[in-house]
Amino acid sequence: VQLVESGGGLVQAGGSLRLSCAHSGSIFNIDIMGWYRQAPGKQRDMVATISSSGSANYADSVKGRFTISRDNAKRTVYLQMNGLQAEDTAVYYCNVRTRTYSSYWGQGTQVTVSS
């Protein structure tokens, strides 16, 4: 099983980035797809999740700025991040959970926002 993330990088405050995460196709019965982030010295926190029916859930800190979406045909989940702030700096991880309660993580992609 492989989750490949892309789209991270360095951006100025107020800028935008779009993260993508594609899985290898060997994961079945996918339920929830999501993004989490971990800043240095902090725990990994949920950023946004999206169910198989398209219902999205966001952390309060990103509501109105980030949008999660998924394309099941492309086996990909996206995170559009607008209005980025220095506090958004972290390693962002993709997560896929199945209906049989298996959970898979990507390798992480660095997002750095300069103020």
Side-chain angles (χ1 to χ4, degrees):
V1 173
Q2 187 176 19
L3 299 179
V4 180
E5 298 154 345
S6 60
L10 174 64
V11 64
Q12 290 186 335
S16 298
L17 285 173
R18 188 193 194 206
L19 304 183
S20 299
C21 172
H23 69 86
S24 58
S26 58
I27 306 175
F28 302 97
N29 295 314
I30 293 174
D31 187 10
I32 307 293
M33 304 180 80
W35 291 93
Y36 292 71
R37 66 187 181 187
Q38 187 168 20
K42 295 188 177 181
Q43 66 181 17
R44 188 176 298 187
D45 292 325
M46 187 274 290
V47 176
T49 62
I50 186 167
S51 71
S52 56
S53 63
S55 177
N57 183 44
Y58 297 94
D60 288 342
S61 60
V62 307
K63 283 180 181 177
R65 299 188 298 123
F66 291 10
T67 302
I68 189 170
S69 60
R70 62 193 280 177
D71 185 330
N72 294 325
K74 294 183 178 179
R75 305 190 303 271
T76 301
V77 60
Y78 304 95
L79 185 68
Q80 177 67 44
M81 304 185 293
N82 298 328
L84 282 161
Q85 305 166 357
E87 307 84 78
D88 297 316
T89 295
V91 178
Y92 284 70
Y93 296 90
C94 170
N95 177 259
V96 172
R97 280 180 278 167
T98 71
R99 293 184 180 87
T100 55
Y101 308 109
S102 295
S103 180
Y104 303 92
W105 292 93
Q107 80 285 356
T109 185
Q110 178 70 46
V111 172
T112 303
V113 184
S114 62
S115 56

